[in-house]
Amino acid sequence: MKGNKSSWGILGKLLISLSFLLVAMPLLWVSIASFKKGTDLNNPTQITFVPTLENWKEVFSSGIFQSAGRSAFVGVVAVSISIVLGSMGAYSISRYKTGKSLTRFGILAAQVLPPAVLVFPFLDLAYRLRLSDTLVAVIAAHLSFVLPVVTWFLIGFFDAAPKEVEEQALVDGLGRFAAFRKVVLPQVAPGVGAAAIFGFVLSWNDLFYALILAPGNAATLPVRIAGFNTFRGVELGAMCAAIIVSVVPVLITSFFIQRRLVRGISGGAVKF
Amino acid sequence: MRRTNVRRSLLAAGVVLIMGLVTACGGSSSSTTATVQISAETAGTLRVLMEGVPDTDIVKALLADFNKDYPNIDVQIEPIAYDQIRDKLVASFQASKPTYDLAIIDNPWVGDFAKAGFLKPLDDLINSTDGYDYNDFSAPLRAIGEVDGSIYGVPFYNYGLGLIYRTDLLQAAGIAEPTTLDELAAAAKKLTTGSRAGIAMQPQRGYKAFEEWGNYLFAAGGSVYGSDGKVNLDTPEAKKALETYIAMYKSSAPKNSLNWAFDEALRAVSSDKAAMMVSYNWMLPTLNKADGPAGALAGKYKLATMPGGKQVLGSWDWAIPANSEVSDAAWAFISWLTSKAGETARVSAGGAPVRTSVLSDPAVSTTGGGADYYATVAKILGNAEPMCQGSNCDEMINAVGTELNSAIAGKKSVAAALKDATTAANKIQSQ
Amino acid sequence: MSFRIRMILPLLATLVAAVGYPLIYSFYLSLTSYKITKRWDVHFVGLNQYKDVLTNSDYWSAMKVTATFVVFGVFLELSLGLAIALALQRQKKFRDFTRSFLLSPMFITPIAVGLMFRFLLNQQLGAIPTILDKLGLSYDFFGSGKALFTMVMIDTWQWTPFMVLLILAGLESLSKQPFEAARVDGANPFYTFKRITLPMLTPILTVAILIRSLDALKVFEYVYATTRGGPGIETQTIQYFTYQTGIQYYRLGNASAMAYLLLILVMFLVIVLFKQIEKARRS
């Protein structure tokens, strides 16, 4: 039996190492390529070369940080609205069984909707309201999938949170909303955090809505990166630099949040 | 609107009077300043999207000269990838405040944009610009910008295709420049070695496949449209063209190149991995440039017309969006750049020509791409046709190109693909 | 108005605006001949668009492509995710570092991932074909019959971490007691896994599969970055096809009908799935 355990252990370690390699390899290759000159790029596996900062200069001056800023802005606004509205609504659904399974199911249904169904009305409405190619249109569109996801997560968290604490608060004389705000919310804080992160990532990554609703001056980061598919083949260097620019902050953030995310999710989100 | 028109005509009249007086007083006007009717005081900011191609760089370099004539017009060029241009333009056309005040339009889009009311008709502007000589533009190029009897775009640069090949390799193999489709196939096969493909092809599904294959179709003596004005690819010529194309893809194209487009083909040819390619005629000067992408191979390339003499034509036109708020400034720029003088400057710097007078101008042929190159381009423009005419061109080209790619990939028989392409194309264009 | 209604009202109002309105409007669009380039010439055509879509072989093709993609992708992600999560749970050293690194792909914007693989697997510029070439192998990643599988691989690369995350969270929330009991009883790892871990993980796995499948249905970025639906229409997923029809070909009315039909199908599947889960839970 002991033999079994250590052989599984070795297998496990092997698996982790392999996964590590598979994740690292593309990222490493792209990092290296971002420092290569045009002609060097024609030799994909060449590791020794004279590095150049041309690609990075090009990317930095391409407005990619503005796009990243716009993406962040859209994400923060969409998530903030979602947390506020979602937590209130989720509380109502969880504690008071408002609408019972219809609301739970309805919220999920909203998440299910293919973006293709919603984007065209958004496009047309934006045109009518003279909001074409603005971030308002993108935020509204993002709400359509961030709000349901956040709410759905929060319902699970509220379900898992023990009722005694808030009942105690009510007995102590706190109003219901005050109880919600001061007692229940802090309880589910890790869950709220996880839901917020999840929602933000969903918004940050969206290309479809942003591409259609704001392809021009209000371009978000994914739209910007898609634009590096340029005419001249040698732009590969710049594209690699752009990819790294969008990946590095993610890696750093992921390091800090992964523990929180795991804890938050295991705190009861994954229930119906 | 009416006020501006009246003002402009008065201005025009005034300028004509003064010019008349000036020339009457002796001294011909210098050939380097364009004759335009728009006041040099015209002010405005022109934001324009342009693809990252050589001609864009040339235009950028000419801006300094432009600003000498029009110091108050600020032209802001936004370079961008082809794929994004159309969506951004359409978004701008529909916005209440346009993002772009000036636009370059690819020829498949002209019909749809004009009919959708996105563009301003340019007839009045052209007619009121003295010395513009609109008819100097090559005839097929003019036809592209004319929709339902009005002119919506003036040619910027052409991208007629041709055959680009390595002179040294053809010579070494003892092959003459191919003049028929079969000769092309034979040449490609002969030039294929272990490390180098005979011809780099671009069979990527959609636009690219059709753009390249269209030349083969013409070389086989076929055409896209029948005499009744409808698309008909279900012809023996088309069949031969597609069969030859597929045979060449299998025997003489680089390995695993089914998804190749312009990017990949250019890279193959410039790094000695392919001996020939069917591509845009203006790639030749770029390939032969000393410090260009071809490195040590610069100078070894030659441009020829497609075997058979007819090729696919494409072009970009300058147009003024209907919602542009600075049409005067826009036209000032367009007419300056596309005038005979502006065109001469642009072509001398290596741009792709659109005016017949410039093509035959001996002064130009000594700079730019060389006399040989211009002679060939003149031949190309003399017998070229766009893939699609009319409405819904984007969709039509894509549909045909998808069928072609299916046949090339072996998923459909040649006959079935051509038949389906014809049906789809007609359905799309009749909508 | 009661407390609970007041709490949920803002949420419902926003959802109605952000989701309900477009849903209804989309339905309206699907009944018209709406074209972006012919806005002034919109007329009601009843169910014509639906008829057109249902008889469009490309639409069904796209459905098939998407279904294949989802099934293979989710299956791979689930299997790999489970294995990796179990391995990670056992890991003692460098936990945080390994976990955050392995989870990172899911946080990269998908278009960047698509472009990264487009060039990594590019015949001329990519490291992998060059390495294969040196080994004497030749494989066209974006060739006929292979492109869709390459899409699945890209999806797996990016989203297996998501599965790992959910499963890991699930594993860590399981009570230790049954495992202790099994260990004391001398059960071997297989038995523990099959009889204890798996059943306890089922709710999590169900959620994971559900979320991931619904997400995979919407795949767009990988196709957009690499093959644009080719070769032929082998990688033309439903989302890409709808985008192409509505935005590239301007035919919004037709595209809306496509989207609506997809919605009906998905809702049907979800309802069936839910009923199954309810049934299973009750038993």
Side-chain angles (χ1 to χ4, degrees), chain B residues 225-253:
Chain B
Y225 292 90
S227 47
D228 58 353
K230 289 201 172 190
V231 175
N232 186 11
L233 293 170
D234 201 3
T235 59
E237 292 89 3
K239 198 154 173 283
K240 169 151 197 240
L242 191 50
E243 280 167 357
T244 312
Y245 188 93
I246 295 176
M248 284 175 70
Y249 168 70
K250 288 199 180 130
S251 67
S252 325

PDB file of all heavy atoms in Angstrom, chain B residues 225-253:
ATOM      1  N   TYR B 225     -18.613  36.612 -64.601  1.00  0.00           N
ATOM      2  CA  TYR B 225     -19.996  36.878 -64.981  1.00  0.00           C
ATOM      3  C   TYR B 225     -20.252  36.400 -66.400  1.00  0.00           C
ATOM      4  O   TYR B 225     -19.388  36.475 -67.266  1.00  0.00           O
ATOM      5  CB  TYR B 225     -20.288  38.383 -64.900  1.00  0.00           C
ATOM      6  CG  TYR B 225     -20.280  38.896 -63.485  1.00  0.00           C
ATOM      7  CD1 TYR B 225     -19.108  39.369 -62.909  1.00  0.00           C
ATOM      8  CD2 TYR B 225     -21.437  38.897 -62.708  1.00  0.00           C
ATOM      9  CE1 TYR B 225     -19.092  39.827 -61.601  1.00  0.00           C
ATOM     10  CE2 TYR B 225     -21.432  39.350 -61.407  1.00  0.00           C
ATOM     11  CZ  TYR B 225     -20.256  39.811 -60.861  1.00  0.00           C
ATOM     12  OH  TYR B 225     -20.239  40.258 -59.574  1.00  0.00           O
ATOM     13  N   GLY B 226     -21.443  35.901 -66.615  1.00  0.00           N
ATOM     14  CA  GLY B 226     -21.821  35.498 -67.964  1.00  0.00           C
ATOM     15  C   GLY B 226     -22.361  36.695 -68.728  1.00  0.00           C
ATOM     16  O   GLY B 226     -22.394  37.813 -68.217  1.00  0.00           O
ATOM     17  N   SER B 227     -22.796  36.428 -69.948  1.00  0.00           N
ATOM     18  CA  SER B 227     -23.277  37.545 -70.767  1.00  0.00           C
ATOM     19  C   SER B 227     -24.587  38.107 -70.241  1.00  0.00           C
ATOM     20  O   SER B 227     -24.968  39.223 -70.560  1.00  0.00           O
ATOM     21  CB  SER B 227     -23.447  37.089 -72.224  1.00  0.00           C
ATOM     22  OG  SER B 227     -24.137  35.854 -72.229  1.00  0.00           O
ATOM     23  N   ASP B 228     -25.275  37.344 -69.389  1.00  0.00           N
ATOM     24  CA  ASP B 228     -26.541  37.849 -68.861  1.00  0.00           C
ATOM     25  C   ASP B 228     -26.333  38.648 -67.583  1.00  0.00           C
ATOM     26  O   ASP B 228     -27.285  38.996 -66.891  1.00  0.00           O
ATOM     27  CB  ASP B 228     -27.510  36.684 -68.593  1.00  0.00           C
ATOM     28  CG  ASP B 228     -26.902  35.686 -67.608  1.00  0.00           C
ATOM     29  OD1 ASP B 228     -25.707  35.827 -67.259  1.00  0.00           O
ATOM     30  OD2 ASP B 228     -27.611  34.758 -67.188  1.00  0.00           O
ATOM     31  N   GLY B 229     -25.064  38.904 -67.234  1.00  0.00           N
ATOM     32  CA  GLY B 229     -24.798  39.696 -66.050  1.00  0.00           C
ATOM     33  C   GLY B 229     -24.839  38.914 -64.761  1.00  0.00           C
ATOM     34  O   GLY B 229     -24.656  39.471 -63.684  1.00  0.00           O
ATOM     35  N   LYS B 230     -25.104  37.611 -64.872  1.00  0.00           N
ATOM     36  CA  LYS B 230     -25.147  36.813 -63.649  1.00  0.00           C
ATOM     37  C   LYS B 230     -23.852  36.022 -63.511  1.00  0.00           C
ATOM     38  O   LYS B 230     -23.179  35.718 -64.491  1.00  0.00           O
ATOM     39  CB  LYS B 230     -26.308  35.814 -63.728  1.00  0.00           C
ATOM     40  CG  LYS B 230     -27.627  36.467 -63.611  1.00  0.00           C
ATOM     41  CD  LYS B 230     -28.673  35.468 -63.181  1.00  0.00           C
ATOM     42  CE  LYS B 230     -29.953  36.226 -62.897  1.00  0.00           C
ATOM     43  NZ  LYS B 230     -30.945  35.467 -62.289  1.00  0.00           N
ATOM     44  N   VAL B 231     -23.563  35.677 -62.283  1.00  0.00           N
ATOM     45  CA  VAL B 231     -22.355  34.898 -62.025  1.00  0.00           C
ATOM     46  C   VAL B 231     -22.517  33.509 -62.634  1.00  0.00           C
ATOM     47  O   VAL B 231     -23.541  32.868 -62.453  1.00  0.00           O
ATOM     48  CB  VAL B 231     -22.115  34.761 -60.506  1.00  0.00           C
ATOM     49  CG1 VAL B 231     -20.927  33.854 -60.239  1.00  0.00           C
ATOM     50  CG2 VAL B 231     -21.898  36.119 -59.881  1.00  0.00           C
ATOM     51  N   ASN B 232     -21.521  33.097 -63.381  1.00  0.00           N
ATOM     52  CA  ASN B 232     -21.556  31.726 -63.884  1.00  0.00           C
ATOM     53  C   ASN B 232     -20.166  31.106 -63.835  1.00  0.00           C
ATOM     54  O   ASN B 232     -19.307  31.376 -64.664  1.00  0.00           O
ATOM     55  CB  ASN B 232     -22.092  31.681 -65.322  1.00  0.00           C
ATOM     56  CG  ASN B 232     -22.269  30.243 -65.781  1.00  0.00           C
ATOM     57  OD1 ASN B 232     -22.186  29.310 -64.973  1.00  0.00           O
ATOM     58  ND2 ASN B 232     -22.488  30.048 -67.064  1.00  0.00           N
ATOM     59  N   LEU B 233     -19.945  30.278 -62.832  1.00  0.00           N
ATOM     60  CA  LEU B 233     -18.647  29.628 -62.694  1.00  0.00           C
ATOM     61  C   LEU B 233     -18.727  28.168 -63.104  1.00  0.00           C
ATOM     62  O   LEU B 233     -17.780  27.421 -62.973  1.00  0.00           O
ATOM     63  CB  LEU B 233     -18.155  29.732 -61.244  1.00  0.00           C
ATOM     64  CG  LEU B 233     -17.827  31.149 -60.800  1.00  0.00           C
ATOM     65  CD1 LEU B 233     -17.592  31.198 -59.311  1.00  0.00           C
ATOM     66  CD2 LEU B 233     -16.610  31.675 -61.528  1.00  0.00           C
ATOM     67  N   ASP B 234     -19.868  27.773 -63.591  1.00  0.00           N
ATOM     68  CA  ASP B 234     -20.079  26.380 -63.955  1.00  0.00           C
ATOM     69  C   ASP B 234     -19.692  26.173 -65.413  1.00  0.00           C
ATOM     70  O   ASP B 234     -20.474  25.645 -66.204  1.00  0.00           O
ATOM     71  CB  ASP B 234     -21.557  26.043 -63.725  1.00  0.00           C
ATOM     72  CG  ASP B 234     -21.767  24.551 -63.581  1.00  0.00           C
ATOM     73  OD1 ASP B 234     -20.774  23.798 -63.608  1.00  0.00           O
ATOM     74  OD2 ASP B 234     -22.942  24.148 -63.457  1.00  0.00           O
ATOM     75  N   THR B 235     -18.506  26.644 -65.764  1.00  0.00           N
ATOM     76  CA  THR B 235     -18.086  26.605 -67.160  1.00  0.00           C
ATOM     77  C   THR B 235     -16.859  25.715 -67.302  1.00  0.00           C
ATOM     78  O   THR B 235     -16.141  25.480 -66.334  1.00  0.00           O
ATOM     79  CB  THR B 235     -17.716  28.016 -67.646  1.00  0.00           C
ATOM     80  OG1 THR B 235     -16.658  28.511 -66.808  1.00  0.00           O
ATOM     81  CG2 THR B 235     -18.901  28.947 -67.558  1.00  0.00           C
ATOM     82  N   PRO B 236     -16.609  25.223 -68.533  1.00  0.00           N
ATOM     83  CA  PRO B 236     -15.414  24.392 -68.735  1.00  0.00           C
ATOM     84  C   PRO B 236     -14.125  25.127 -68.401  1.00  0.00           C
ATOM     85  O   PRO B 236     -13.182  24.526 -67.870  1.00  0.00           O
ATOM     86  CB  PRO B 236     -15.467  24.004 -70.223  1.00  0.00           C
ATOM     87  CG  PRO B 236     -16.633  24.687 -70.800  1.00  0.00           C
ATOM     88  CD  PRO B 236     -17.452  25.286 -69.730  1.00  0.00           C
ATOM     89  N   GLU B 237     -14.092  26.468 -68.682  1.00  0.00           N
ATOM     90  CA  GLU B 237     -12.876  27.217 -68.368  1.00  0.00           C
ATOM     91  C   GLU B 237     -12.627  27.232 -66.872  1.00  0.00           C
ATOM     92  O   GLU B 237     -11.500  27.040 -66.406  1.00  0.00           O
ATOM     93  CB  GLU B 237     -12.994  28.667 -68.879  1.00  0.00           C
ATOM     94  CG  GLU B 237     -13.003  28.808 -70.384  1.00  0.00           C
ATOM     95  CD  GLU B 237     -14.415  28.730 -70.930  1.00  0.00           C
ATOM     96  OE1 GLU B 237     -15.349  28.624 -70.120  1.00  0.00           O
ATOM     97  OE2 GLU B 237     -14.581  28.764 -72.162  1.00  0.00           O
ATOM     98  N   ALA B 238     -13.709  27.468 -66.112  1.00  0.00           N
ATOM     99  CA  ALA B 238     -13.558  27.509 -64.664  1.00  0.00           C
ATOM    100  C   ALA B 238     -13.106  26.158 -64.148  1.00  0.00           C
ATOM    101  O   ALA B 238     -12.256  26.055 -63.257  1.00  0.00           O
ATOM    102  CB  ALA B 238     -14.892  27.910 -64.016  1.00  0.00           C
ATOM    103  N   LYS B 239     -13.657  25.116 -64.731  1.00  0.00           N
ATOM    104  CA  LYS B 239     -13.287  23.763 -64.306  1.00  0.00           C
ATOM    105  C   LYS B 239     -11.791  23.548 -64.537  1.00  0.00           C
ATOM    106  O   LYS B 239     -11.073  23.079 -63.651  1.00  0.00           O
ATOM    107  CB  LYS B 239     -14.107  22.757 -65.115  1.00  0.00           C
ATOM    108  CG  LYS B 239     -14.172  21.393 -64.531  1.00  0.00           C
ATOM    109  CD  LYS B 239     -15.466  20.679 -64.994  1.00  0.00           C
ATOM    110  CE  LYS B 239     -15.460  19.235 -64.551  1.00  0.00           C
ATOM    111  NZ  LYS B 239     -14.597  18.376 -65.377  1.00  0.00           N
ATOM    112  N   LYS B 240     -11.332  23.905 -65.725  1.00  0.00           N
ATOM    113  CA  LYS B 240      -9.905  23.724 -66.021  1.00  0.00           C
ATOM    114  C   LYS B 240      -9.069  24.543 -65.053  1.00  0.00           C
ATOM    115  O   LYS B 240      -8.060  24.071 -64.518  1.00  0.00           O
ATOM    116  CB  LYS B 240      -9.637  24.155 -67.465  1.00  0.00           C
ATOM    117  CG  LYS B 240      -8.145  24.250 -67.723  1.00  0.00           C
ATOM    118  CD  LYS B 240      -7.795  23.979 -69.189  1.00  0.00           C
ATOM    119  CE  LYS B 240      -6.318  23.691 -69.209  1.00  0.00           C
ATOM    120  NZ  LYS B 240      -5.386  24.223 -69.756  1.00  0.00           N
ATOM    121  N   ALA B 241      -9.496  25.780 -64.827  1.00  0.00           N
ATOM    122  CA  ALA B 241      -8.721  26.653 -63.949  1.00  0.00           C
ATOM    123  C   ALA B 241      -8.612  26.060 -62.556  1.00  0.00           C
ATOM    124  O   ALA B 241      -7.538  26.049 -61.951  1.00  0.00           O
ATOM    125  CB  ALA B 241      -9.390  28.027 -63.879  1.00  0.00           C
ATOM    126  N   LEU B 242      -9.715  25.536 -62.037  1.00  0.00           N
ATOM    127  CA  LEU B 242      -9.684  25.001 -60.682  1.00  0.00           C
ATOM    128  C   LEU B 242      -8.885  23.707 -60.616  1.00  0.00           C
ATOM    129  O   LEU B 242      -8.114  23.477 -59.665  1.00  0.00           O
ATOM    130  CB  LEU B 242     -11.114  24.782 -60.165  1.00  0.00           C
ATOM    131  CG  LEU B 242     -11.232  24.479 -58.670  1.00  0.00           C
ATOM    132  CD1 LEU B 242     -10.466  25.478 -57.830  1.00  0.00           C
ATOM    133  CD2 LEU B 242     -12.697  24.447 -58.240  1.00  0.00           C
ATOM    134  N   GLU B 243      -9.039  22.885 -61.636  1.00  0.00           N
ATOM    135  CA  GLU B 243      -8.278  21.629 -61.628  1.00  0.00           C
ATOM    136  C   GLU B 243      -6.781  21.901 -61.686  1.00  0.00           C
ATOM    137  O   GLU B 243      -5.992  21.283 -60.973  1.00  0.00           O
ATOM    138  CB  GLU B 243      -8.717  20.746 -62.808  1.00  0.00           C
ATOM    139  CG  GLU B 243     -10.011  20.002 -62.520  1.00  0.00           C
ATOM    140  CD  GLU B 243     -10.605  19.390 -63.783  1.00  0.00           C
ATOM    141  OE1 GLU B 243     -10.043  19.583 -64.870  1.00  0.00           O
ATOM    142  OE2 GLU B 243     -11.648  18.728 -63.654  1.00  0.00           O
ATOM    143  N   THR B 244      -6.399  22.850 -62.562  1.00  0.00           N
ATOM    144  CA  THR B 244      -4.978  23.195 -62.641  1.00  0.00           C
ATOM    145  C   THR B 244      -4.487  23.752 -61.317  1.00  0.00           C
ATOM    146  O   THR B 244      -3.409  23.414 -60.825  1.00  0.00           O
ATOM    147  CB  THR B 244      -4.745  24.241 -63.748  1.00  0.00           C
ATOM    148  OG1 THR B 244      -5.403  23.824 -64.930  1.00  0.00           O
ATOM    149  CG2 THR B 244      -3.270  24.424 -64.014  1.00  0.00           C
ATOM    150  N   TYR B 245      -5.309  24.620 -60.709  1.00  0.00           N
ATOM    151  CA  TYR B 245      -4.932  25.225 -59.433  1.00  0.00           C
ATOM    152  C   TYR B 245      -4.677  24.156 -58.387  1.00  0.00           C
ATOM    153  O   TYR B 245      -3.678  24.173 -57.668  1.00  0.00           O
ATOM    154  CB  TYR B 245      -6.054  26.173 -58.980  1.00  0.00           C
ATOM    155  CG  TYR B 245      -5.728  27.009 -57.764  1.00  0.00           C
ATOM    156  CD1 TYR B 245      -5.181  28.285 -57.893  1.00  0.00           C
ATOM    157  CD2 TYR B 245      -5.980  26.537 -56.481  1.00  0.00           C
ATOM    158  CE1 TYR B 245      -4.896  29.056 -56.783  1.00  0.00           C
ATOM    159  CE2 TYR B 245      -5.684  27.301 -55.367  1.00  0.00           C
ATOM    160  CZ  TYR B 245      -5.143  28.560 -55.520  1.00  0.00           C
ATOM    161  OH  TYR B 245      -4.856  29.328 -54.419  1.00  0.00           O
ATOM    162  N   ILE B 246      -5.601  23.204 -58.311  1.00  0.00           N
ATOM    163  CA  ILE B 246      -5.471  22.157 -57.304  1.00  0.00           C
ATOM    164  C   ILE B 246      -4.243  21.290 -57.580  1.00  0.00           C
ATOM    165  O   ILE B 246      -3.491  20.939 -56.659  1.00  0.00           O
ATOM    166  CB  ILE B 246      -6.748  21.292 -57.253  1.00  0.00           C
ATOM    167  CG1 ILE B 246      -7.913  22.141 -56.774  1.00  0.00           C
ATOM    168  CG2 ILE B 246      -6.557  20.087 -56.339  1.00  0.00           C
ATOM    169  CD1 ILE B 246      -9.235  21.431 -56.766  1.00  0.00           C
ATOM    170  N   ALA B 247      -4.019  20.976 -58.855  1.00  0.00           N
ATOM    171  CA  ALA B 247      -2.841  20.172 -59.193  1.00  0.00           C
ATOM    172  C   ALA B 247      -1.571  20.896 -58.783  1.00  0.00           C
ATOM    173  O   ALA B 247      -0.655  20.306 -58.216  1.00  0.00           O
ATOM    174  CB  ALA B 247      -2.839  19.882 -60.698  1.00  0.00           C
ATOM    175  N   MET B 248      -1.537  22.196 -59.044  1.00  0.00           N
ATOM    176  CA  MET B 248      -0.361  22.970 -58.681  1.00  0.00           C
ATOM    177  C   MET B 248      -0.210  23.031 -57.165  1.00  0.00           C
ATOM    178  O   MET B 248       0.896  22.939 -56.642  1.00  0.00           O
ATOM    179  CB  MET B 248      -0.458  24.395 -59.248  1.00  0.00           C
ATOM    180  CG  MET B 248      -0.183  24.446 -60.727  1.00  0.00           C
ATOM    181  SD  MET B 248      -0.433  26.078 -61.419  1.00  0.00           S
ATOM    182  CE  MET B 248       0.926  26.976 -60.705  1.00  0.00           C
ATOM    183  N   TYR B 249      -1.328  23.170 -56.459  1.00  0.00           N
ATOM    184  CA  TYR B 249      -1.255  23.219 -55.008  1.00  0.00           C
ATOM    185  C   TYR B 249      -0.648  21.931 -54.466  1.00  0.00           C
ATOM    186  O   TYR B 249       0.166  21.940 -53.547  1.00  0.00           O
ATOM    187  CB  TYR B 249      -2.639  23.455 -54.409  1.00  0.00           C
ATOM    188  CG  TYR B 249      -2.702  23.235 -52.923  1.00  0.00           C
ATOM    189  CD1 TYR B 249      -2.076  24.121 -52.043  1.00  0.00           C
ATOM    190  CD2 TYR B 249      -3.338  22.123 -52.386  1.00  0.00           C
ATOM    191  CE1 TYR B 249      -2.093  23.903 -50.683  1.00  0.00           C
ATOM    192  CE2 TYR B 249      -3.357  21.910 -51.020  1.00  0.00           C
ATOM    193  CZ  TYR B 249      -2.731  22.801 -50.172  1.00  0.00           C
ATOM    194  OH  TYR B 249      -2.749  22.578 -48.828  1.00  0.00           O
ATOM    195  N   LYS B 250      -1.047  20.831 -55.071  1.00  0.00           N
ATOM    196  CA  LYS B 250      -0.566  19.547 -54.556  1.00  0.00           C
ATOM    197  C   LYS B 250       0.900  19.321 -54.903  1.00  0.00           C
ATOM    198  O   LYS B 250       1.636  18.736 -54.107  1.00  0.00           O
ATOM    199  CB  LYS B 250      -1.409  18.405 -55.143  1.00  0.00           C
ATOM    200  CG  LYS B 250      -2.791  18.338 -54.584  1.00  0.00           C
ATOM    201  CD  LYS B 250      -3.436  16.956 -54.808  1.00  0.00           C
ATOM    202  CE  LYS B 250      -4.834  16.954 -54.234  1.00  0.00           C
ATOM    203  NZ  LYS B 250      -5.821  16.460 -55.185  1.00  0.00           N
ATOM    204  N   SER B 251       1.322  19.766 -56.085  1.00  0.00           N
ATOM    205  CA  SER B 251       2.682  19.398 -56.498  1.00  0.00           C
ATOM    206  C   SER B 251       3.714  20.485 -56.301  1.00  0.00           C
ATOM    207  O   SER B 251       4.884  20.201 -56.083  1.00  0.00           O
ATOM    208  CB  SER B 251       2.674  18.990 -57.976  1.00  0.00           C
ATOM    209  OG  SER B 251       2.363  20.137 -58.758  1.00  0.00           O
ATOM    210  N   SER B 252       3.296  21.740 -56.406  1.00  0.00           N
ATOM    211  CA  SER B 252       4.320  22.781 -56.423  1.00  0.00           C
ATOM    212  C   SER B 252       4.226  23.830 -55.325  1.00  0.00           C
ATOM    213  O   SER B 252       5.040  24.736 -55.287  1.00  0.00           O
ATOM    214  CB  SER B 252       4.285  23.513 -57.775  1.00  0.00           C
ATOM    215  OG  SER B 252       3.954  22.641 -58.805  1.00  0.00           O
ATOM    216  N   ALA B 253       3.238  23.707 -54.443  1.00  0.00           N
ATOM    217  CA  ALA B 253       3.110  24.720 -53.395  1.00  0.00           C
ATOM    218  C   ALA B 253       3.810  24.237 -52.128  1.00  0.00           C
ATOM    219  O   ALA B 253       4.066  23.053 -51.975  1.00  0.00           O
ATOM    220  CB  ALA B 253       1.630  24.989 -53.114  1.00  0.00           C
TER     221      ALA B 253
END
